[in-house]
Amino acid sequence: MASSSSGIVAGLTAGALAVVGFLAYQASANAPDSVAVPSASTAPTQPGAKEKATPRSPLELPADSGKGTRVVYSLSGKRIWLVDPEAGPGTKPPTFVVAPSAVSPTPDTYRVTTRSNRITGSDGKPVEHVVRFANVDGVTIGFSAAVDGTMPTPGVKPQEGTGAVRLSREDGTKVWEFATGGVKVVVVP
């Protein structure tokens, strides 16, 4: 009777292992990437090999954007930062979304050249808090806010030949107060 009991136990054990193996396979096949076992293609690389960089937050100040007091304008990010090194350690610079102009400056370091409290923009709209910093083929580039508070519609191409980089009125006021004559404007890709 002992041999028949051990045969039954062995059979039940083998069956249980088969079921557990099948369930484990099912679980691994349906696991999200965040908990799946790394494959050979995602396994850690050899020491000294370059690893993929962690994606940066779009709100994070771009690397290599200069030093000192400056406005940083990311063309691809459609965003600016007001960098004040005297704001204190660990203080993140305020950042604002912008609607790019039809004519863009090349990545480089510029300086605020002129400012106007209120004028008619190159697109015919009344604008305020104009901060000019570049000139491209006779087109003046600057930050401004429409007096009526409107922003260009995302995805709609700006009026050809304009250099108006638009902000909301609230953000435009902050840029106006920060970007006085001679302050650096660092344009990054």
Side-chain angles (χ1 to χ4, degrees):
M1 187 85 161
S3 68
S4 121
S5 294
S6 63
I8 292 173
V9 170
L12 288 174
T13 302
L17 288 173
V19 169
V20 168
F22 176 75
L23 292 174
Y25 168 76
Q26 286 289 329
S28 70
N30 294 312
D33 291 339
S34 62
V35 296
V37 175
S39 68
S41 64
T42 61
T45 57
Q46 297 288 335
K50 289 186 179 181
E51 294 183 25
K52 288 185 179 178
T54 305
R56 295 172 50 92
S57 163
L59 301 178
E60 191 174 332
L61 181 67
D64 301 325
S65 63
K67 297 204 181 301
T69 301
R70 64 201 183 281
V71 177
V72 176
Y73 174 27
S74 170
L75 296 171
S76 63
K78 299 178 181 149
R79 179 170 290 280
I80 64 171
W81 291 259
L82 306 180
V83 183
D84 180 1
E86 295 180 18
T91 303
K92 293 191 184 263
T95 182
F96 312 110
V97 173
V98 298
S101 55
V103 178
S104 295
T106 57
D108 203 348
T109 298
Y110 302 87
R111 296 234 176 234
V112 172
T113 54
T114 60
R115 297 168 10 119
S116 296
N117 191 33
R118 195 173 269 208
I119 62 167
T120 299
S122 56
D123 59 358
K125 280 189 165 266
V127 294
E128 65 184 359
H129 299 143
V130 180
V131 177
R132 298 175 198 89
F133 62 91
N135 192 300
V136 176
D137 297 329
V139 176
T140 302
I141 312 293
F143 305 117
S144 63
V147 172
D148 66 7
T150 60
M151 289 279 287
T153 306
V156 174
K157 187 176 177 182
Q159 182 180 336
E160 195 171 323
T162 63
V165 180
R166 289 288 160 76
L167 299 109
S168 71
R169 286 188 83 186
E170 181 181 341
D171 297 345
T173 299
K174 292 174 185 169
V175 172
W176 173 260
E177 291 168 353
F178 181 86
T180 56
V183 166
K184 283 191 292 189
V185 178
V186 179
V187 178
V188 297

